[in-house]
């Protein structure tokens, strides 16, 4: 590459040439804020020219260019890899100057046109010296070539041109006129650029990536779009016009990014974070040579799913009434966290795997899952993970709606049953649960359940939640409550216990009129209400504890009828496709090898105990007995699965070539790690290893990954940092410490936390970070603790107090001190708080977790942090 400082005039003047903004670039997006700042800089330079001062020029930024594939010796064409916003803006400013002086100084206008804007002897799109991305091309050409009457109205290009025309009129104010040609000179010869020019052999995408993959300039969707269209040299125009441009026009950039992330999730990547979208999709495409047909297939699928995604954003676009009603309610709930599951249902319906009735039924399970958890105050911080995992965990052997019901009913999903729901409706302070719009929606659905012949139009009614027994009761209320107290409880205590329960809440448009008045006065107002639930309250003679509980029982019955219950007896949710893969890799174990529960668990992203339970209860799993403890011994809890042949395990292992040490353990040299298990699957599924290679003759439209390839690529992408952490942990810590850490991480996830494993490169090292995230707000996160595997000194747990000191609620010194006190209850730990940023972070060795009591105390301390996080102001 070559880099040099240049001026706009030097860059674009001279021989005929063209600067092409590639299809993959985002559209022109400068707003008036950037335009005003540029105009100020231009006027400043024009004044310096007028005064004759030899002041420095103004640095505008960089432009990165590369030879276009359409380059010709007689007509150079350059790809604008970076800097298109600046070039487009300056071109529009010059077009505005040209048009401003066209009547009075036509020769100067023609000069500006020919020097900076057009290639005089070229036709068609070649006539434009700057060729914007296709979405902006027609409008830009209208301003450069005219006539303006043919331009499309609106858009950023039109706004920028109009801005400069207005400012030029201001500059011509007779009271203080400014020379327009001085302004032109300032633009072309006083605004400096650094032009970076790549050679043909340079990888321009890597240049672009290094300039823009900082999360500041371009979004993940921008980067991925650029990446895709850079790999479509021959079919890019057609694909852009047919699929990408309509998709881009129908969604905002943020929505498009969300759709791209959902596509990854639907295709099986259930752990990718949205901020890692670009890297994850790039990693998939770069697992081998990707053809244009494969990228086209990806964009066509994105286009198809875009129509489905718009129904989530705009439920009124859904034709089926029942499905539309569920989408409306989930939209009202602000349940974006459920999008992976909703997209899966709409996708499967479009593929013919379920009809609209079953789609609505499946959505009722999702709605019930959210509502019941909110009413029973189940923490929401694991909802992202639950719904993101749905595509990968959905059972394969049952219908979609039934499978979703089964999946959400798993015991580690915490979907409250009828008994728990009924109890919470009767006793829990519903008014303090969830968010206001969610509480209001529950009450609205309960009102609708009465099926009044003239239902209220909730879209226009100005309804708020009303406490029938007021929050600040007067003497009359307290006297009535004193009649209901038992066991020495005071009226104030009874009021405090019942005031926020669902039985005491309703909807009304006259909240201020009801106020804290006695019940007799409220009765009249409620009697005249259009809501059936209010008229029923008004028929009651008094409103005390018994009446509130009776109404709660009635509403509980309606709640149970409206929102279906989970299935009973469903175990933990596991990834069904991963179990299939576990069976495949066990069947592929070479003679004379074995693996451990921990290795197999790391390979499929589960837990060692879950692996053991699955193998013990699943008949017909080949080589299940060759899964041993990390010490190479048969687990004390090992049992043959029902219907399996059984026999002496050690004898079977010996027959399979597994050697044993003098201590009775399987030879550790024959143990296969998680990475080695992954290599077994990749070798078995590699088409190149088959007797006949059919990939050359297969049509391009069939160039898709096999399921096994997808599994392997997914596991490599998802688990390599996790595997590296546990491999390094095992290298530098005892087996007992490794298993203790595994158990602790699993327990953290069970109580609603997330475990993040950094990239784990040789440069950065590996680790495990415990985090808590707010559902639907991935930027709202706290990390109470992290683990490092050790570098010859044993693994360490550390507290990042510099982060905790600026993150609510841990920013409060008293809370950090209490967290340290809880940790210091562990045997062998004595942590002292240091001022954030001063000295090393408080830490302790992971080996202390080998003691059961220490693990229990640490979990209690982490649950304390979780509770403070969830109840934060």
């Amino acid at each position: 590459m070559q880099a040099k400082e240049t001026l706009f005039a030097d860059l674009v003047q001279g021989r005929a040439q063209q600067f092409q903004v590639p299809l993959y670039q985002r559209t022109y997006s400068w707003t008036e804020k950037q335009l005003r700042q540029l105009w100020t800089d231009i006027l400043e330079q024009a004044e310096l020219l007028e005064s004759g001062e030899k002041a420095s020029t103004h640095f505008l930024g960089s432009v990165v260019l590369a030879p276009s594939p359409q380059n010709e010796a007689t007509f150079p064409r350059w790809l604008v890899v970076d800097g298109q916003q600046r070039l487009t803006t300056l071109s529009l400013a010059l077009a505005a100057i040209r048009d401003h002086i066209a009547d009075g100084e036509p020769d100067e206008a023609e000069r500006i046109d020919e020097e900076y804007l057009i290639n005089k002897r070229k036709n068609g799109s070649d006539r434009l010296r700057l060729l914007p991305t296709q979405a902006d091309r027609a409008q830009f050409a209208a301003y450069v070539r005219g006539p303006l009457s043919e331009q499309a109205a609106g858009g950023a290009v039109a706004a920028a041109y109009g801005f400069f025309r207005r400012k030029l009129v201001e500059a011509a104010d007779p009271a203080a006129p400014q020379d327009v040609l001085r302004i032109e000179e300032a633009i072309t010869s006083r605004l400096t650029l650094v032009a970076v020019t790549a050679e043909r052999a340079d990888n321009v995408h890597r240049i672009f990536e290094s300039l823009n993959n900082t999360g500041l300039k371009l979004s993940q969707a921008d980067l991925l779009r650029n990446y895709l269209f850079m790999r479509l040299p021959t079919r890019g125009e057609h694909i852009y016009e047919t699929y990408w441009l309509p998709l881009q026009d129908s969604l905002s950039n943020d929505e498009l990014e969300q759709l791209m992330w959902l596509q990854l999730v639907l295709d099986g990547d259930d752990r990718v974070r949205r901020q890692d979208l670009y890297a994850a999709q790039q990693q998939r495409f770069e697992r081998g040579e990707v053809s244009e047909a494969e990228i086209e297939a990806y964009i066509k699928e994105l286009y198809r799913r875009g129509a489905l995604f718009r129904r989530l954003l705009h439920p009124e676009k859904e034709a089926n009434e029942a499905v539309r009603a569920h989408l409306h309610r989930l939209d009202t709930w602000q349940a974006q966290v459920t999008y992976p599951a909703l997209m899966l249902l709409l996708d499967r319906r479009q593929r013919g795997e379920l009809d609209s009735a079953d789609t609505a039924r499946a959505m009722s399970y999702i709605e019930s899952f959210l509502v019941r958890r909110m009413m029973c105050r189940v923490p929401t911080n694991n909802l992202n993970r639950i719904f993101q995992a749905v595509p990968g965990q959905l059972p394969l052997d049952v219908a979609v709606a039934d499978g979703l019901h089964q999946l959400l009913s798993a015991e580690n999903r915490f979907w409250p049953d009828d008994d728990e729901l009924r109890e919470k409706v009767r006793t829990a302070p519903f008014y303090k649960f969830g968010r206001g719009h969610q509480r209001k929606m529950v009450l609205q659905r309960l009102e609708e359940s009465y099926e009044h012949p003239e239902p209220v139009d909730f879209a226009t009614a100005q309804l708020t939640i009303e406490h029938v027994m007021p929050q600040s009761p007067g003497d009359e209320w307290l006297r009535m409550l004193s009649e209901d107290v038992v066991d020495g409880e005071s009226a104030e205590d009874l009021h405090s216990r019942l005031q926020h329960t669902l039985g005491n809440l309703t909807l009304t448009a006259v909240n201020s009129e009801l106020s804290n008045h006695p019940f007799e006065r409220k009765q009249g107002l409620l009697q005249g209400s259009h809501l059936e639930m209010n008229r029923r309250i008004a028929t009651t003679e008094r409103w005390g504890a018994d009446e509130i509980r009776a109404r709660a029982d009635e509403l509980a019955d309606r709640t149970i009828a409206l929102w279906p219950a989970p299935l009973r007896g469903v175990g933990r949710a596991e990834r069904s496709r991963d179990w299939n893969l576990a069976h495949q890799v066990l069947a592929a174990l070479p003679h004379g090898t074995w693996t451990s529960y921990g290795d197999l668990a790391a390979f499929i992203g589960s837990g060692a105990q879950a692996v053991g339970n699955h193998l013990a209860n699943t008949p017909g799993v080949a080589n299940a007995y060759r899964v041993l403890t990390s010490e190479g011994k048969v687990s004390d809890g090992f049992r043959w699965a029902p219907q399996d042949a059984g026999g002496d395990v050690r004898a079977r292992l010996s027959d399979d070539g597994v050697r044993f040490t003098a201590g009775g353990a399987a030879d550790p040299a024959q143990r296969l790690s998680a990475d080695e298990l992954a290599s077994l699957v990749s070798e078995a599924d590699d088409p190149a290893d088959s007797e006949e290679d059919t990939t050359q003759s297969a049509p391009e439209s069939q160039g898709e990954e096999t399921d096994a390839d997808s599994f392997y690529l997914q596991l490599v992408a998802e688990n390599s940092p996790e595997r590296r952490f546990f491999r390094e942990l095992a290298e530098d810590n005892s087996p007992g410490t490794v298993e203790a850490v595994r158990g602790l991480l699993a327990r953290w996830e069970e109580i609603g936390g997330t475990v993040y494993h950094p990239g784990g490169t040789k440069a950065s090292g590996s680790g495990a970070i415990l985090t808590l995230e707010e559902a639907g707000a991935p930027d709202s996160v706290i990390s109470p603790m992290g683990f490092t595997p050790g570098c010859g000194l044993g693994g360490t747990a550390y507290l990042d107090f510099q982060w905790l000191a600026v993150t609510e609620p841990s920013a409060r010194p008293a809370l950090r001190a209490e967290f340290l006190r809880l940790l210091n209850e562990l045997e062998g730990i004595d942590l002292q708080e240091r001022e954030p940023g001063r000295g090393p972070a408080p830490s302790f060795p992971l080996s202390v977790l080998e003691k059961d009591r220490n693990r229990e105390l640490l979990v209690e301390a982490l649950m304390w942090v979780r509770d403070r996080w969830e109840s934060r102001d």
Side-chain angles (χ1 to χ4, degrees):
M1 290 188 302
Q2 297 179 353
K4 65 176 182 179
E5 184 173 317
T6 190
L7 302 169
F8 183 83
D10 295 335
L11 185 68
V12 302
Q13 269 183 323
R15 62 189 293 190
Q17 60 180 328
Q18 188 174 72
F19 299 88
Q20 301 175 340
V21 179
L23 292 173
Y24 56 73
Q25 289 277 22
R26 60 181 168 181
T27 55
Y28 181 72
S29 58
W30 271 28
T31 65
E32 188 157 323
K33 178 180 179 181
Q34 289 91 18
L35 296 173
R36 281 199 307 269
Q37 181 59 56
L38 175 62
W39 184 249
T40 300
D41 297 331
I42 291 171
L43 290 184
E44 180 181 352
Q45 291 299 318
E47 290 170 2
L48 292 173
L49 283 170
E50 187 73 23
S51 66
E53 293 182 21
K54 295 183 178 180
S56 60
T57 57
H58 176 75
F59 176 62
L60 190 59
S62 63
V63 176
V64 180
L65 306 173
S68 169
Q70 303 169 342
N71 197 20
E72 297 174 7
T74 58
F75 186 45
R77 293 181 174 94
W78 302 95
L79 291 179
V80 183
V81 179
D82 196 44
Q84 65 118 337
Q85 304 286 338
R86 300 182 186 92
L87 295 184
T88 304
T89 304
L90 296 180
S91 297
L92 289 170
L94 290 169
I97 292 173
R98 176 203 62 190
D99 296 340
H100 182 77
I101 65 174
D103 292 337
E105 300 177 82
D107 291 340
E108 291 294 339
E110 184 178 0
R111 175 188 61 78
I112 292 172
D113 204 31
E114 294 178 3
E115 288 185 352
Y116 304 116
L117 300 175
I118 66 168
N119 296 305
K120 184 177 181 179
R121 302 187 185 280
K122 295 291 182 180
N123 298 312
S125 62
D126 287 349
R127 190 170 179 83
L128 296 174
R129 196 155 287 213
L130 174 67
L131 189 66
T133 186
Q134 194 177 55
D136 293 327
R137 194 171 296 171
Q139 194 173 64
F140 181 85
Y143 285 105
V144 171
R145 293 191 302 189
L148 293 181
S149 59
E150 295 181 3
Q151 73 183 41
V157 169
Y161 176 86
F163 171 86
F164 289 119
R165 288 301 302 264
R166 293 196 311 273
K167 291 301 180 182
L168 288 168
V169 171
E170 290 179 13
D173 184 356
Q178 292 175 300
D179 187 343
V180 173
L181 294 181
R182 290 289 187 195
I183 294 176
E184 178 230 339
E185 186 180 359
I187 292 173
T188 57
S189 64
R190 298 290 298 177
L191 303 179
T192 59
L193 301 162
V194 170
V196 180
T197 307
E199 300 294 339
R200 185 170 296 278
D202 292 333
N203 188 329
V204 294
H205 179 63
R206 294 302 182 202
I207 300 169
F208 180 86
E209 192 173 85
S210 65
L211 288 169
N212 291 293
N213 193 15
T214 63
L216 298 176
K217 289 187 178 180
L218 297 181
S219 70
Q220 295 286 302
D222 290 327
L223 288 167
L224 185 51
R225 178 199 60 228
N226 302 347
Y227 175 86
L228 294 171
F229 280 96
M230 279 182 173
R231 280 151 178 76
L232 291 169
T234 64
R235 296 184 57 79
E237 288 274 355
H238 169 73
I239 296 170
Y240 191 89
E241 288 181 5
T242 308
Y243 303 112
W244 191 271
L245 194 55
L247 184 64
Q248 183 173 274
D249 288 343
S250 65
L251 297 171
S252 69
N253 199 62
D254 182 71
E255 291 165 351
L256 182 57
E257 180 177 300
Q258 192 170 18
L259 174 62
M260 290 173 160
W261 173 76
L262 286 168
Q263 177 128 318
L264 269 177
V265 174
L266 290 175
D267 290 344
D269 201 340
D270 65 358
R271 295 186 184 180
V272 64
R273 299 184 303 167
R274 186 167 158 182
Q275 57 264 44
D276 298 330
L277 159 69
Y278 168 64
Q281 188 62 65
Q282 180 192 38
Q283 187 176 37
R284 284 191 167 200
F285 280 131
E286 294 192 352
R287 285 293 167 187
E289 291 296 326
V290 179
S291 68
E292 286 193 64
E294 290 174 289
I295 293 179
E296 180 178 3
Y298 168 81
I299 294 175
K300 287 173 67 175
E301 184 69 354
L302 196 69
Y303 173 79
R304 181 185 71 83
R305 283 171 167 163
L308 305 179
F309 183 52
R310 286 193 293 275
R311 298 183 195 180
L312 305 187
L313 303 174
H314 309 286
E316 65 275 7
K317 295 181 181 294
E318 168 58 41
N320 181 268
E321 182 180 0
V323 173
R324 184 170 64 249
H326 283 293
L327 290 178
H328 266 301
R329 285 194 291 271
L330 290 168
D331 184 59
T332 300
W333 194 269
Q334 296 180 11
Q336 289 85 352
V337 70
T338 67
Y339 280 0
L342 295 177
M343 279 290 289
L344 180 139
L345 294 175
L346 295 179
D347 188 64
R348 296 290 182 89
R349 182 181 65 168
Q350 190 175 72
R351 296 174 186 273
E353 296 182 33
L354 72 168
D355 58 19
S356 291
D358 280 336
T359 302
R361 179 163 64 91
M363 288 181 177
S364 75
Y365 300 140
I366 295 173
E367 184 181 323
S368 173
F369 184 79
L370 295 176
V371 171
R372 285 181 175 235
R373 283 171 57 104
M374 185 276 279
M375 296 181 72
C376 295
R377 208 172 195 177
V378 179
T380 62
N381 54 345
N382 63 345
L383 286 177
N384 278 317
R385 186 171 69 254
I386 288 174
F387 284 106
Q388 190 172 339
V390 165
Q393 292 184 342
L394 196 68
L396 304 178
D397 54 350
V398 296
V400 175
D402 295 329
L404 183 63
H405 195 189
Q406 177 180 320
L407 177 61
L408 294 179
S409 299
E411 62 184 38
N412 55 332
R413 293 297 179 255
F414 307 110
W415 184 1
D417 60 17
D418 290 349
D419 292 339
E420 182 179 359
L421 183 62
R422 191 180 299 279
E423 176 63 21
K424 286 293 192 287
V425 168
R426 211 168 195 266
T427 63
F430 174 81
Y431 189 70
K432 296 297 184 180
F433 292 1
R435 298 176 179 176
H437 63 274
Q438 294 170 345
R439 298 190 292 268
K440 186 176 176 182
M441 197 203 87
V442 169
L443 285 164
Q444 176 181 325
R445 285 285 284 136
L446 289 170
E447 167 63 26
E448 291 171 338
S449 71
Y450 289 102
E451 299 182 347
H452 193 276
E454 297 181 3
V456 171
D457 182 359
F458 288 97
T460 59
Q462 301 296 315
L463 299 176
T464 58
I465 297 179
E466 162 73 4
H467 291 71
V468 182
M469 177 178 65
Q471 299 184 68
S472 301
D475 292 340
E476 291 187 43
W477 281 103
L478 292 175
R479 280 196 296 271
M480 181 176 62
L481 285 176
S482 65
E483 301 171 7
D484 300 333
V485 298
V486 293
D487 299 330
E489 185 179 36
S490 68
E492 290 79 5
D493 292 337
L494 186 58
H495 169 266
S496 178
R497 187 154 52 83
L498 294 177
Q499 63 170 328
H500 296 313
T501 59
L502 186 59
N504 188 48
L505 302 175
T506 189
L507 292 172
T508 179
V510 291
N511 194 296
S512 59
E513 296 177 44
L514 292 171
S515 187
N516 297 336
H517 295 305
F519 182 63
E520 290 78 7
R521 181 169 177 181
K522 286 192 173 188
Q523 276 180 303
L525 292 170
L526 293 172
Q527 182 63 50
S529 172
H530 293 290
L531 274 66
E532 181 65 24
M533 64 168 63
N534 289 342
R535 287 198 283 264
R536 288 177 177 241
I537 294 172
T539 61
T540 310
E541 293 183 4
R542 66 191 296 273
W543 198 252
D546 292 340
E547 290 75 20
I548 291 174
R549 294 191 187 102
R551 181 168 181 266
D553 291 340
E554 177 196 347
L555 294 182
D557 290 338
R558 292 183 175 275
T559 301
I560 289 169
L562 285 171
W563 290 291
L567 299 172
R568 294 183 178 273
V570 178
R572 293 178 58 83
E574 300 292 347
R575 304 179 66 215
S576 55
R577 283 191 276 187
D578 282 351
W579 288 129
N580 291 336
L581 188 58
H583 300 172
Q584 293 176 35
V585 78
L586 288 178
L589 287 178
H591 184 77
T593 61
W594 62 278
T595 191
S596 73
Y597 293 101
D599 291 322
L600 186 57
F603 170 60
I604 65 172
S606 184
Q609 184 175 0
V611 167
N613 291 337
H614 177 79
L615 296 180
N617 293 290
T618 308
V621 178
N623 294 325
Y625 57 90
R626 287 165 71 178
V627 182
L628 308 175
T629 67
S630 58
E631 291 84 5
K633 296 186 176 181
V634 179
S635 171
D636 292 339
F638 176 83
R639 67 178 187 273
W640 291 101
Q643 304 173 21
D644 280 359
D648 181 71
V649 176
R650 182 160 174 169
R652 294 282 296 274
L653 290 168
S654 297
D655 291 342
D656 287 343
V658 175
R659 301 183 298 269
F660 289 87
T661 65
D667 187 347
Q670 296 179 307
R671 174 181 173 180
L672 297 185
S673 67
D675 286 338
E676 289 166 331
L677 293 176
S679 68
L680 292 179
V681 177
S682 65
E683 291 169 1
D685 294 329
D686 189 350
D689 291 340
S690 63
E691 294 182 0
E692 180 181 1
D693 185 2
T694 61
T695 58
Q696 297 301 319
S697 60
E700 288 185 341
S701 62
Q702 296 178 3
E704 299 175 356
E705 295 173 348
T706 65
D707 286 347
D709 290 335
S710 299
F711 293 155
Y712 174 62
L713 296 180
Q714 175 186 345
L715 287 167
V716 170
E718 291 175 354
N719 296 323
S720 53
E722 181 180 357
R723 293 178 192 161
R724 179 177 172 85
F725 169 70
F726 279 110
R727 185 171 65 250
E728 293 183 0
L729 193 70
E731 290 172 356
D732 203 30
N733 298 269
S734 71
T737 296
V738 175
E739 291 305 312
V741 171
R742 283 192 192 279
L744 182 66
L745 297 186
R747 187 74 181 96
W748 173 247
E749 291 186 330
E750 287 177 3
I751 65 175
T754 300
V755 180
Y756 168 64
H757 293 278
T761 62
K762 290 184 178 179
S764 64
S766 64
I769 301 173
L770 309 185
T771 64
L772 288 165
E773 296 181 3
E774 181 179 343
D779 292 332
S780 180
V781 63
I782 188 174
S783 173
M785 184 173 291
F787 299 153
T788 59
C791 300
L793 301 175
T796 300
Y798 65 90
L799 283 67
D800 191 347
F801 261 57
Q802 189 164 355
W803 184 4
L804 292 173
V806 297
T807 309
E808 286 295 340
S810 60
R812 306 166 195 175
L815 291 180
R816 296 200 304 275
E818 176 63 14
F819 186 30
L820 276 182
R821 187 193 67 77
L822 293 171
L823 293 175
N824 284 334
E825 292 185 6
L826 277 67
E827 182 180 343
I829 293 182
D830 183 18
L831 303 177
Q832 303 297 320
E833 181 174 2
R834 298 178 176 87
E835 183 179 346
R838 299 282 184 88
S843 61
F844 59 86
L846 292 177
S847 57
V848 304
L849 300 180
E850 291 189 25
K851 295 183 177 181
D852 294 341
R853 179 55 179 163
N854 277 349
R855 287 199 303 277
E856 293 174 4
L857 290 172
L858 181 54
V859 169
E860 290 177 4
L862 292 172
M863 290 177 69
W864 177 86
V865 173
R866 179 204 64 187
D867 292 343
R868 301 290 80 70
W869 167 255
E870 292 175 354
S871 62
R872 67 193 186 282
D873 295 334

